[in-house]
Amino acid sequence: MNDQEQRMIEYASQWMSYGGGDDEILAEFGLTPEQFYRRLLHLVSTPRVGGPNAKARGQLGRFSSKKVAAYAALRTAPIRR
């Protein structure tokens, strides 16, 4: 696991209880929140050396899945005029 991946996991773990800290993700990681949560979901989907334990991976995976789904819904929602 590289430094940025470790920082992503730490960031998400810290902010998960507060809804994610999405407003700071672009400045912190250079990714949109949707990109961040997609990468995070990929990171926690399999055990990695130096990565979170199974319980934390499960929590981060569920959280990331919800965030990805929410951003996808926003992106595909019809525009009302």
Side-chain angles (χ1 to χ4, degrees):
M1 181 167 296
N2 67 38
D3 289 344
Q4 182 174 18
E5 292 169 340
Q6 188 63 41
R7 285 189 323 112
M8 289 173 71
I9 288 170
E10 290 169 2
Y11 185 89
S13 297
Q14 176 185 3
W15 284 97
M16 186 168 42
S17 298
Y18 305 103
D22 295 11
D23 294 341
E24 304 300 322
I25 288 173
L26 184 60
E28 185 73 26
F29 297 97
L31 302 168
T32 66
E34 185 176 5
Q35 292 169 323
F36 176 88
Y37 291 113
R38 285 186 185 280
R39 284 197 189 173
L40 183 63
L41 186 56
H42 177 74
L43 285 173
V44 299
S45 63
T46 56
R48 295 170 184 257
V49 174
N53 63 37
K55 181 179 178 182
R57 281 196 326 272
Q59 291 170 333
L60 288 167
R62 286 186 296 278
F63 178 71
S64 296
S65 291
K66 289 177 185 176
K67 296 296 266 184
V68 167
Y71 279 107
L74 285 174
R75 195 172 13 87
T76 59
I79 298 173
R80 295 185 181 181
R81 295 177 189 217

Coordinates of all heavy atoms in Angstrom, one line a residue:
M1 N 0.9 -1.2 0.0 CA 0.0 0.0 0.0 C 0.9 1.2 0.0 O 1.8 1.4 0.8 CB -0.9 0.0 1.2 CG -1.8 1.1 1.3 SD -3.1 0.9 2.6 CE -4.0 -0.5 1.9
N2 N 0.6 2.1 -0.9 CA 1.5 3.3 -1.0 C 1.0 4.4 -0.1 O -0.1 4.3 0.6 CB 1.6 3.8 -2.5 CG 0.3 4.4 -3.0 OD1 -0.5 5.0 -2.3 ND2 0.1 4.1 -4.3
D3 N 1.7 5.5 0.0 CA 1.4 6.6 1.0 C 0.0 7.2 0.7 O -0.7 7.5 1.7 CB 2.5 7.7 1.0 CG 3.8 7.2 1.6 OD1 3.8 6.2 2.3 OD2 4.8 7.9 1.3
Q4 N -0.3 7.5 -0.5 CA -1.6 8.1 -0.8 C -2.7 7.1 -0.5 O -3.7 7.6 0.1 CB -1.7 8.5 -2.3 CG -3.1 9.2 -2.5 CD -3.2 9.8 -3.9 OE1 -2.5 9.5 -4.8 NE2 -4.2 10.7 -4.0
E5 N -2.6 5.9 -0.8 CA -3.6 4.9 -0.4 C -3.8 4.9 1.1 O -5.0 4.9 1.6 CB -3.3 3.5 -0.9 CG -3.3 3.5 -2.5 CD -2.7 2.2 -3.0 OE1 -1.9 1.5 -2.3 OE2 -3.0 1.9 -4.2
Q6 N -2.7 4.9 1.8 CA -2.8 4.9 3.3 C -3.5 6.2 3.8 O -4.3 6.1 4.7 CB -1.4 4.7 3.9 CG -1.4 4.6 5.4 CD -2.1 3.3 5.8 OE1 -1.9 2.2 5.2 NE2 -2.9 3.4 6.9
R7 N -3.1 7.3 3.2 CA -3.8 8.6 3.6 C -5.3 8.5 3.3 O -6.1 9.1 4.1 CB -3.1 9.7 2.9 CG -1.8 10.1 3.5 CD -1.2 11.4 2.9 NE -1.4 11.7 1.5 CZ -2.2 12.7 1.1 NH1 -2.8 13.5 1.9 NH2 -2.4 12.9 -0.2
M8 N -5.7 7.9 2.2 CA -7.1 7.9 1.8 C -7.8 7.1 2.9 O -8.9 7.5 3.3 CB -7.2 7.2 0.4 CG -6.8 8.1 -0.7 SD -6.8 7.3 -2.3 CE -8.6 7.2 -2.6
I9 N -7.3 5.9 3.3 CA -7.9 5.1 4.3 C -8.0 5.8 5.6 O -9.1 5.8 6.3 CB -7.2 3.8 4.4 CG1 -7.5 2.9 3.1 CG2 -7.6 3.0 5.7 CD1 -6.7 1.7 3.0
E10 N -7.0 6.5 6.0 CA -7.0 7.2 7.2 C -8.0 8.4 7.2 O -8.7 8.6 8.2 CB -5.6 7.8 7.5 CG -4.6 6.7 7.9 CD -3.1 7.2 8.0 OE1 -2.9 8.4 7.7 OE2 -2.3 6.4 8.2
Y11 N -8.0 9.1 6.1 CA -9.0 10.2 5.9 C -10.4 9.7 6.0 O -11.2 10.3 6.8 CB -8.7 10.9 4.6 CG -9.6 12.1 4.3 CD1 -9.1 13.4 4.8 CD2 -10.8 12.1 3.7 CE1 -9.8 14.5 4.5 CE2 -11.5 13.2 3.5 CZ -11.1 14.4 3.9 OH -11.8 15.5 3.7
A12 N -10.7 8.7 5.3 CA -12.1 8.1 5.3 C -12.4 7.6 6.6 O -13.6 7.8 7.1 CB -12.2 7.0 4.2
S13 N -11.5 7.0 7.3 CA -11.8 6.4 8.7 C -12.1 7.6 9.6 O -13.0 7.4 10.5 CB -10.6 5.6 9.2 OG -10.4 4.5 8.3
Q14 N -11.3 8.6 9.5 CA -11.5 9.8 10.4 C -12.9 10.5 10.2 O -13.5 10.9 11.1 CB -10.4 10.8 10.2 CG -10.5 12.0 11.0 CD -9.4 13.0 10.7 OE1 -8.6 12.8 9.8 NE2 -9.4 14.1 11.4
W15 N -13.2 10.6 8.9 CA -14.4 11.4 8.6 C -15.7 10.6 8.4 O -16.8 11.2 8.2 CB -14.1 12.2 7.3 CG -13.3 13.4 7.6 CD1 -11.9 13.5 7.4 CD2 -13.7 14.7 8.1 NE1 -11.4 14.7 7.8 CE2 -12.5 15.5 8.2 CE3 -14.9 15.2 8.5 CZ2 -12.6 16.8 8.7 CZ3 -15.0 16.5 9.0 CH2 -13.8 17.2 9.1
M16 N -15.6 9.3 8.3 CA -16.8 8.5 8.1 C -18.0 8.8 9.0 O -19.1 8.9 8.6 CB -16.4 7.0 8.2 CG -17.5 6.0 7.8 SD -16.9 4.3 7.6 CE -15.8 4.1 9.0
S17 N -17.7 9.0 10.3 CA -18.7 9.2 11.3 C -19.4 10.6 11.0 O -20.5 10.8 11.5 CB -18.1 9.2 12.7 OG -17.6 8.0 13.0
Y18 N -18.8 11.5 10.3 CA -19.3 12.8 10.0 C -19.8 13.0 8.6 O -20.1 14.1 8.2 CB -18.2 13.9 10.3 CG -17.7 13.7 11.7 CD1 -16.4 13.2 11.9 CD2 -18.4 14.1 12.8 CE1 -15.9 13.0 13.1 CE2 -17.8 14.0 14.1 CZ -16.6 13.4 14.2 OH -16.1 13.3 15.5
G19 N -20.0 11.9 7.9 CA -20.5 11.9 6.5 C -19.5 11.9 5.4 O -19.8 11.9 4.3
G20 N -18.2 12.0 5.8 CA -17.2 11.8 4.8 C -16.2 13.0 4.5 O -15.1 12.7 4.0
G21 N -16.5 14.2 4.9 CA -15.5 15.3 4.7 C -15.3 15.5 3.2 O -14.3 15.9 2.7
D22 N -16.4 15.4 2.4 CA -16.3 15.5 0.9 C -15.8 16.8 0.5 O -15.2 16.9 -0.6 CB -17.7 15.2 0.3 CG -18.2 13.8 0.5 OD1 -17.6 13.1 1.3 OD2 -19.1 13.4 -0.1
D23 N -16.1 17.9 1.2 CA -15.7 19.2 0.7 C -14.2 19.4 0.6 O -13.7 20.3 -0.1 CB -16.3 20.3 1.7 CG -17.8 20.4 1.6 OD1 -18.3 19.9 0.7 OD2 -18.4 20.9 2.6
E24 N -13.4 18.6 1.4 CA -12.0 18.8 1.4 C -11.2 17.7 0.5 O -10.0 17.8 0.3 CB -11.5 18.6 2.8 CG -12.1 19.6 3.8 CD -11.8 21.1 3.4 OE1 -10.7 21.4 2.9 OE2 -12.7 21.9 3.6
I25 N -12.0 16.8 -0.1 CA -11.3 15.7 -0.8 C -10.5 16.2 -2.0 O -9.4 15.8 -2.3 CB -12.3 14.6 -1.2 CG1 -12.7 13.8 0.1 CG2 -11.8 13.7 -2.2 CD1 -13.9 12.9 -0.1
L26 N -11.1 17.1 -2.8 CA -10.5 17.6 -4.0 C -9.1 18.3 -3.7 O -8.1 18.0 -4.3 CB -11.4 18.5 -4.8 CG -10.8 19.0 -6.1 CD1 -10.5 17.9 -7.1 CD2 -11.8 20.0 -6.8
A27 N -9.2 19.1 -2.7 CA -7.9 19.8 -2.3 C -6.9 18.9 -1.7 O -5.7 19.0 -1.9 CB -8.3 20.9 -1.3
E28 N -7.4 17.9 -0.9 CA -6.5 17.0 -0.2 C -5.8 15.9 -1.1 O -4.7 15.6 -1.0 CB -7.2 16.3 0.9 CG -6.4 15.4 1.8 CD -5.5 16.2 2.8 OE1 -5.8 17.4 3.1 OE2 -4.5 15.6 3.1
F29 N -6.6 15.4 -2.1 CA -6.2 14.3 -2.9 C -6.2 14.5 -4.4 O -5.7 13.7 -5.1 CB -7.1 13.1 -2.6 CG -7.0 12.6 -1.1 CD1 -7.9 13.0 -0.2 CD2 -5.9 11.8 -0.7 CE1 -7.8 12.6 1.1 CE2 -5.8 11.4 0.6 CZ -6.8 11.8 1.5
G30 N -6.7 15.6 -4.8 CA -6.8 15.9 -6.3 C -7.8 15.0 -7.0 O -7.6 14.8 -8.2
L31 N -8.7 14.5 -6.3 CA -9.8 13.7 -6.8 C -11.1 14.3 -6.5 O -11.3 14.9 -5.4 CB -9.7 12.3 -6.2 CG -8.4 11.5 -6.4 CD1 -8.4 10.3 -5.5 CD2 -8.2 11.1 -7.8
T32 N -12.1 14.0 -7.4 CA -13.5 14.4 -7.0 C -13.9 13.4 -5.9 O -13.3 12.3 -5.8 CB -14.5 14.3 -8.2 OG1 -14.6 12.9 -8.6 CG2 -14.0 15.2 -9.3
P33 N -14.9 13.8 -5.1 CA -15.4 12.8 -4.1 C -15.8 11.5 -4.7 O -15.5 10.4 -4.1 CB -16.5 13.5 -3.4 CG -16.2 15.0 -3.5 CD -15.5 15.1 -4.9
E34 N -16.4 11.5 -5.8 CA -16.9 10.2 -6.4 C -15.6 9.4 -6.8 O -15.6 8.2 -6.5 CB -17.7 10.5 -7.7 CG -18.3 9.2 -8.2 CD -19.2 9.3 -9.4 OE1 -19.4 10.5 -9.9 OE2 -19.7 8.3 -9.8
Q35 N -14.6 10.0 -7.4 CA -13.4 9.3 -7.7 C -12.7 8.7 -6.5 O -12.3 7.6 -6.4 CB -12.4 10.2 -8.4 CG -12.8 10.6 -9.8 CD -11.9 11.7 -10.4 OE1 -11.5 12.6 -9.6 NE2 -11.7 11.7 -11.7
F36 N -12.7 9.5 -5.4 CA -12.1 9.1 -4.1 C -12.8 7.9 -3.6 O -12.1 6.9 -3.2 CB -12.2 10.3 -3.1 CG -11.7 10.0 -1.8 CD1 -10.4 10.1 -1.4 CD2 -12.6 9.5 -0.8 CE1 -9.9 9.8 -0.1 CE2 -12.2 9.2 0.5 CZ -10.8 9.4 0.8
Y37 N -14.1 7.9 -3.6 CA -14.8 6.8 -3.0 C -14.8 5.5 -3.9 O -14.7 4.4 -3.3 CB -16.3 7.2 -2.6 CG -16.3 8.1 -1.5 CD1 -16.8 9.4 -1.7 CD2 -15.9 7.8 -0.2 CE1 -16.8 10.4 -0.7 CE2 -15.9 8.7 0.8 CZ -16.4 10.0 0.6 OH -16.4 10.9 1.6
R38 N -14.7 5.7 -5.2 CA -14.5 4.5 -6.0 C -13.1 3.9 -5.8 O -13.0 2.7 -5.7 CB -14.6 4.9 -7.5 CG -16.0 5.2 -7.9 CD -16.1 5.4 -9.5 NE -17.4 5.8 -9.8 CZ -18.4 4.9 -10.0 NH1 -18.2 3.6 -9.9 NH2 -19.6 5.3 -10.4
R39 N -12.1 4.7 -5.6 CA -10.7 4.2 -5.3 C -10.7 3.5 -4.0 O -10.1 2.5 -3.8 CB -9.7 5.3 -5.4 CG -9.4 5.7 -6.8 CD -8.1 6.4 -6.9 NE -7.9 6.9 -8.2 CZ -6.9 7.7 -8.6 NH1 -6.0 8.1 -7.7 NH2 -6.8 8.2 -9.8
L40 N -11.3 4.2 -3.0 CA -11.4 3.7 -1.7 C -12.1 2.3 -1.7 O -11.6 1.3 -1.0 CB -12.1 4.6 -0.7 CG -12.1 4.2 0.7 CD1 -10.7 4.1 1.3 CD2 -13.0 5.2 1.5
L41 N -13.2 2.2 -2.4 CA -13.9 0.9 -2.4 C -13.0 -0.1 -3.0 O -13.0 -1.3 -2.5 CB -15.2 1.1 -3.3 CG -16.1 -0.1 -3.4 CD1 -16.5 -0.5 -2.0 CD2 -17.3 0.3 -4.2
H42 N -12.2 0.2 -4.0 CA -11.3 -0.8 -4.6 C -10.2 -1.2 -3.6 O -9.9 -2.3 -3.5 CB -10.7 -0.2 -5.9 CG -9.7 -1.1 -6.5 ND1 -10.0 -2.2 -7.2 CD2 -8.3 -1.0 -6.5 CE1 -8.9 -2.8 -7.6 NE2 -7.8 -2.1 -7.2
L43 N -9.7 -0.2 -2.9 CA -8.7 -0.4 -1.9 C -9.1 -1.4 -0.8 O -8.3 -2.2 -0.4 CB -8.2 0.9 -1.2 CG -7.3 1.8 -2.0 CD1 -7.1 3.1 -1.3 CD2 -6.0 1.1 -2.3
V44 N -10.3 -1.2 -0.3 CA -10.8 -2.0 0.8 C -11.5 -3.3 0.4 O -11.8 -4.1 1.2 CB -11.7 -1.2 1.8 CG1 -10.9 0.0 2.3 CG2 -13.0 -0.8 1.1
S45 N -11.6 -3.6 -0.9 CA -12.3 -4.8 -1.4 C -11.5 -6.0 -1.2 O -12.0 -7.1 -1.2 CB -12.7 -4.6 -2.8 OG -11.6 -4.5 -3.6
T46 N -10.1 -5.9 -1.0 CA -9.3 -7.1 -0.8 C -8.3 -6.7 0.3 O -7.8 -5.6 0.4 CB -8.5 -7.5 -2.1 OG1 -7.8 -6.3 -2.5 CG2 -9.4 -8.0 -3.1
P47 N -7.9 -7.7 1.1 CA -6.9 -7.5 2.1 C -5.5 -7.1 1.5 O -5.2 -7.6 0.4 CB -6.7 -8.8 2.8 CG -7.9 -9.6 2.4 CD -8.4 -9.1 1.1
R48 N -4.8 -6.2 2.1 CA -3.5 -5.7 1.6 C -2.6 -5.6 2.8 O -3.0 -5.3 3.9 CB -3.6 -4.3 1.0 CG -4.5 -4.3 -0.3 CD -4.7 -2.9 -0.7 NE -5.6 -2.8 -1.9 CZ -5.2 -2.6 -3.1 NH1 -3.9 -2.4 -3.4 NH2 -6.1 -2.7 -4.1
V49 N -1.3 -5.8 2.5 CA -0.3 -5.6 3.6 C -0.3 -4.2 4.0 O -0.3 -3.3 3.2 CB 1.1 -6.0 3.0 CG1 2.2 -5.7 4.0 CG2 1.1 -7.5 2.6
G50 N -0.4 -4.0 5.3 CA -0.4 -2.6 5.8 C -1.8 -1.9 5.7 O -1.9 -0.8 6.1
G51 N -2.8 -2.7 5.3 CA -4.1 -2.1 5.1 C -4.9 -2.3 6.4 O -4.5 -2.9 7.4
P52 N -6.2 -1.9 6.3 CA -7.1 -2.0 7.5 C -7.4 -3.5 7.7 O -7.4 -4.3 6.8 CB -8.3 -1.2 7.1 CG -8.2 -1.1 5.6 CD -6.8 -1.2 5.2
N53 N -7.9 -3.8 8.9 CA -8.3 -5.1 9.3 C -9.7 -5.4 8.6 O -10.3 -4.5 8.0 CB -8.3 -5.3 10.8 CG -9.3 -4.4 11.5 OD1 -10.4 -4.2 11.0 ND2 -8.9 -4.0 12.7
A54 N -10.2 -6.6 8.7 CA -11.4 -7.0 8.1 C -12.6 -6.2 8.5 O -13.4 -5.8 7.7 CB -11.7 -8.5 8.3
K55 N -12.7 -5.9 9.8 CA -13.8 -5.1 10.3 C -13.8 -3.7 9.7 O -14.8 -3.2 9.2 CB -13.8 -5.0 11.8 CG -15.0 -4.2 12.4 CD -14.9 -4.2 13.9 CE -16.1 -3.4 14.4 NZ -16.0 -3.3 15.9
A56 N -12.6 -3.1 9.7 CA -12.5 -1.7 9.2 C -12.8 -1.7 7.7 O -13.4 -0.8 7.1 CB -11.1 -1.1 9.5
R57 N -12.2 -2.8 7.0 CA -12.5 -2.9 5.5 C -14.0 -3.0 5.2 O -14.5 -2.3 4.3 CB -11.8 -4.1 4.9 CG -10.3 -3.9 4.7 CD -9.7 -4.9 3.8 NE -10.3 -6.3 3.9 CZ -9.8 -7.2 4.7 NH1 -8.8 -6.9 5.5 NH2 -10.4 -8.4 4.7
G58 N -14.7 -3.7 6.1 CA -16.2 -3.9 5.9 C -16.9 -2.5 6.1 O -17.7 -2.2 5.3
Q59 N -16.5 -1.8 7.1 CA -17.1 -0.5 7.4 C -16.8 0.5 6.3 O -17.7 1.2 5.8 CB -16.6 0.0 8.7 CG -17.1 -0.8 9.9 CD -16.4 -0.3 11.2 OE1 -15.3 0.1 11.2 NE2 -17.1 -0.5 12.3
L60 N -15.6 0.6 5.9 CA -15.2 1.5 4.8 C -15.8 1.1 3.5 O -16.2 1.9 2.7 CB -13.7 1.6 4.7 CG -13.0 2.3 5.8 CD1 -11.5 2.0 5.8 CD2 -13.2 3.8 5.8
G61 N -15.9 -0.2 3.3 CA -16.5 -0.7 2.0 C -18.0 -0.3 1.9 O -18.5 0.2 0.9
R62 N -18.7 -0.5 3.0 CA -20.2 -0.2 3.0 C -20.3 1.3 2.9 O -21.2 1.8 2.1 CB -20.8 -0.7 4.3 CG -21.1 -2.2 4.4 CD -21.8 -2.6 5.6 NE -21.2 -2.4 6.8 CZ -20.2 -3.1 7.3 NH1 -19.8 -4.2 6.7 NH2 -19.7 -2.9 8.5
F63 N -19.5 2.1 3.6 CA -19.6 3.6 3.5 C -19.3 4.0 2.1 O -20.0 4.8 1.5 CB -18.6 4.2 4.5 CG -18.6 5.7 4.5 CD1 -19.7 6.4 4.9 CD2 -17.5 6.3 4.0 CE1 -19.6 7.8 4.9 CE2 -17.4 7.7 4.0 CZ -18.5 8.5 4.4
S64 N -18.2 3.5 1.5 CA -17.8 3.9 0.1 C -18.9 3.5 -0.9 O -19.2 4.3 -1.8 CB -16.5 3.2 -0.2 OG -15.5 3.7 0.6
S65 N -19.5 2.4 -0.7 CA -20.6 1.9 -1.6 C -21.7 2.9 -1.6 O -22.3 3.3 -2.7 CB -21.0 0.5 -1.3 OG -20.1 -0.4 -1.6
K66 N -22.1 3.3 -0.4 CA -23.2 4.3 -0.3 C -22.9 5.6 -0.9 O -23.7 6.2 -1.6 CB -23.6 4.5 1.2 CG -24.2 3.3 1.8 CD -24.5 3.5 3.3 CE -25.1 2.3 3.9 NZ -25.3 2.4 5.4
K67 N -21.6 6.1 -0.7 CA -21.2 7.4 -1.3 C -21.2 7.3 -2.8 O -21.6 8.2 -3.5 CB -19.8 7.8 -0.7 CG -19.9 8.0 0.8 CD -20.7 9.2 1.1 CE -19.9 10.5 1.2 NZ -20.7 11.6 1.6
V68 N -20.6 6.2 -3.4 CA -20.6 6.0 -4.8 C -22.0 6.0 -5.4 O -22.2 6.7 -6.4 CB -19.8 4.7 -5.2 CG1 -20.0 4.4 -6.6 CG2 -18.3 4.9 -4.9
A69 N -22.9 5.3 -4.8 CA -24.3 5.2 -5.2 C -24.9 6.6 -5.2 O -25.6 7.0 -6.1 CB -25.1 4.2 -4.4
A70 N -24.7 7.4 -4.1 CA -25.3 8.7 -4.0 C -24.7 9.6 -5.1 O -25.5 10.4 -5.7 CB -25.0 9.3 -2.6
Y71 N -23.4 9.6 -5.4 CA -22.9 10.4 -6.4 C -23.4 10.0 -7.8 O -23.6 10.9 -8.6 CB -21.3 10.5 -6.3 CG -20.9 11.4 -5.3 CD1 -20.3 11.0 -4.1 CD2 -21.0 12.8 -5.5 CE1 -19.9 11.9 -3.1 CE2 -20.6 13.7 -4.5 CZ -20.0 13.2 -3.3 OH -19.6 14.1 -2.4
A72 N -23.5 8.7 -8.0 CA -24.0 8.2 -9.3 C -25.5 8.7 -9.5 O -25.9 9.1 -10.6 CB -23.9 6.7 -9.3
A73 N -26.3 8.7 -8.4 CA -27.6 9.1 -8.5 C -27.7 10.6 -8.8 O -28.6 11.1 -9.6 CB -28.4 8.8 -7.2
L74 N -26.8 11.4 -8.2 CA -26.8 12.8 -8.5 C -26.4 13.1 -10.0 O -27.0 14.0 -10.7 CB -25.8 13.5 -7.7 CG -26.2 13.8 -6.2 CD1 -25.0 14.4 -5.4 CD2 -27.4 14.7 -6.1
R75 N -25.5 12.3 -10.5 CA -25.0 12.5 -11.9 C -26.1 12.1 -12.9 O -26.1 12.7 -14.0 CB -23.8 11.6 -12.1 CG -23.0 11.9 -13.3 CD -21.6 11.1 -13.3 NE -21.4 10.1 -12.4 CZ -21.7 8.8 -12.6 NH1 -22.3 8.4 -13.7 NH2 -21.4 7.9 -11.7
T76 N -26.9 11.1 -12.5 CA -27.9 10.6 -13.5 C -29.3 11.2 -13.3 O -30.2 10.9 -14.0 CB -28.0 9.1 -13.5 OG1 -28.3 8.6 -12.1 CG2 -26.6 8.5 -13.9
A77 N -29.5 12.0 -12.2 CA -30.8 12.6 -11.9 C -31.2 13.5 -13.1 O -30.4 14.3 -13.6 CB -30.8 13.3 -10.6
P78 N -32.5 13.4 -13.5 CA -32.9 14.4 -14.5 C -32.9 15.8 -14.0 O -33.1 16.1 -12.8 CB -34.4 13.9 -14.8 CG -34.8 13.1 -13.6 CD -33.5 12.6 -12.9
I79 N -32.7 16.7 -14.9 CA -32.6 18.1 -14.6 C -34.1 18.7 -14.7 O -34.7 18.5 -15.7 CB -31.7 18.9 -15.6 CG1 -30.3 18.4 -15.4 CG2 -31.8 20.4 -15.3 CD1 -29.3 19.0 -16.5
R80 N -34.5 19.3 -13.6 CA -35.9 19.8 -13.6 C -35.8 21.3 -13.9 O -35.0 22.0 -13.4 CB -36.5 19.6 -12.2 CG -36.7 18.2 -12.0 CD -37.4 18.0 -10.7 NE -37.6 16.5 -10.4 CZ -38.2 16.0 -9.4 NH1 -38.7 16.8 -8.5 NH2 -38.3 14.7 -9.3
R81 N -36.7 21.7 -14.7 CA -36.7 23.2 -15.1 C -38.0 23.8 -14.7 O -39.0 23.2 -14.6 CB -36.5 23.3 -16.6 CG -35.1 22.9 -17.0 CD -34.9 22.9 -18.4 NE -33.7 22.2 -18.7 CZ -32.8 22.6 -19.6 NH1 -33.1 23.7 -20.4 NH2 -31.7 22.0 -19.9

